[in-house]
Amino acid sequence: MKEIDQSKTPLFDALKAYHEREVIPFDVPGHKHGKGLAELAEYLGPKVLEVDVNAMECLDNICNPIGVIKEAEDLAAKAYGGEHAYFLVNGTSSGVQAMILACCNPGDKIILPRNAHKSAISAMILSGAIPIYIQPEIQDRLGIAMGVSLESVKNAIEEHPDAKAIFMINPTYYGVVSDLQSIVTLAHQKGMLVLADEAHGAHMHFHEEFPLSAIAAGADMSAISIHKTGGSLTQSSLLVLNSKKVAAESVKSVLNLTQTTSASYLLMISLDIARKQLATKGKELLDGVLELSRYARNQINEIGGYYAFAKELIGTPGTYDFDESKLGINVKDLGLTGYEIERILKIEYNIQVEIADLSNILCIISLGDQRKSIDILIQALKDIKKKYGKQQAKDIITPPLRNPELIVSPRDAYYSLKRVVKLRDAIGEVSGESIMAYPPGIPVITPGEKITEEIVDYIEALKEQRSMLQGTEDPYVNNIKILGQQPVG
């Protein structure tokens, strides 16, 4: 078998060659190599806009790649252990939707964790698939959803043997990994496909001390946010296929239903370069990520009042493995919420964390971090404890433990007649919208589900803590759409 040269960057090389020709443009984009947007060119540097060009023969086309994009995608596929790969310029959300659309017809069942990203719910609306939710395990001390147990997957398969696929998260936002390899084996024995949302796991395939990547675990498809932890530009992701049951041509066809015909070459060359870096230097770079992550945890846990959690959770319900690049810090013993710590860090210390919830903050340690920035974070947390720490820990408000009852499919709910009511007046009604805290973008309620008092209480608790809620047409989430025609008179 011919050895793959992962040091190549075919798309990046082609774009540099095009730039060096100093072509006179009479095509789009209209800024014409930056001349028509001088203020931005001056701020970013002219070269950025000079390489923001349109698809053409020498640069290939994302909708039907047969040249340098295809070469770059093939290199990415091999880097991740797959047979085929597809560049995504609308984030992993588009990859999640493509996977489900490629595998599920209207009415097909798909098994998935309740803490799946909102893009999976959007895929239900687009495909007409019926979600069969598995409740993830809840970690009482942290107050967050973990992974799903193998037993819960077995139960879902036994109850729904006609399900077409199982959708998994690898890892969760906080770094928790389910026993994906065993789940894949079980699913394939039952004739079901396994699809993976690896929005937060782009790095894991390239170092043996991280959990198994989805493709390495045997999954059929994986949508991977290279931009989150792999080094590419925001919005650039990868879809990897490694299945005898899903045709590569079908996946391309599905992607072409929704993806742009004017893909950004800045995003695509960043994927080409990030893949090269991961494939050729990933082990070395991730050694540094692990060293920084472990150093940060040790230092933070010595402060007192904070709990930076990691691999000690392995073996607890829903936690088969753990991604150490996710620096989750539980803050409840300080008597402060994660939201309060997030705001203090931002306003007083000029530090931006990834997400916050009622009990935790999450910092991502990735390829670009340095010891200096870690030390600044550690000192800030020490200062916050001295200045703001309280004696009494706040009560944990956990998400509802029961899955809402699905009354109608997400697709039918989306297209049904709806009316707007006050949030608390919606108890007992069927939701016509989703509500989620973003990040992480995990819905509390989705279209077609029955709204309970427990759900409304939780949403109101999130609002009181100034969580960033979205999904409803009402930006303040005071009102929600429910199914049913507007009363007359």
Side-chain angles (χ1 to χ4, degrees), residues 304-306 331 333-336 341 344 381-392:
Y306 299 102
V331 301
D333 287 346
L334 289 183
L336 299 168
I341 298 285
I344 294 167
L381 293 174
K382 288 179 180 178
D383 289 349
I384 290 170
K385 181 189 176 185
K386 290 178 184 176
K387 291 165 66 176
Y388 299 102
K390 303 171 185 176
Q391 294 298 315
Q392 189 171 357

Side-chain angles (χ1 to χ4, degrees), residues 463 469 472-479:
K463 287 175 64 177
L469 295 176
T472 55
E473 289 186 4
D474 174 8
Y476 303 102
V477 197
N478 294 322
N479 305 303

Side-chain angles (χ1 to χ4, degrees), residues 222-260:
S222 174
I224 308 167
S225 293
I226 310 297
H227 70 93
K228 282 188 167 72
T229 60
S232 66
L233 295 180
T234 295
Q235 204 172 310
S236 60
S237 293
L238 191 69
L239 180 60
V240 179
L241 171 66
N242 197 49
S243 178
K244 292 181 172 61
K245 294 186 176 181
V246 183
E249 295 77 17
S250 297
V251 177
K252 184 177 77 170
S253 177
V254 166
L255 283 169
N256 282 336
L257 287 175
T258 56
Q259 78 177 348
T260 179

Side-chain angles (χ1 to χ4, degrees), residues 174-192:
Y174 279 105
V176 177
V177 173
S178 304
D179 186 0
L180 185 57
Q181 195 164 31
S182 296
I183 290 168
V184 168
T185 299
L186 177 63
H188 285 171
Q189 287 171 352
K190 302 297 183 179
M192 299 178 187

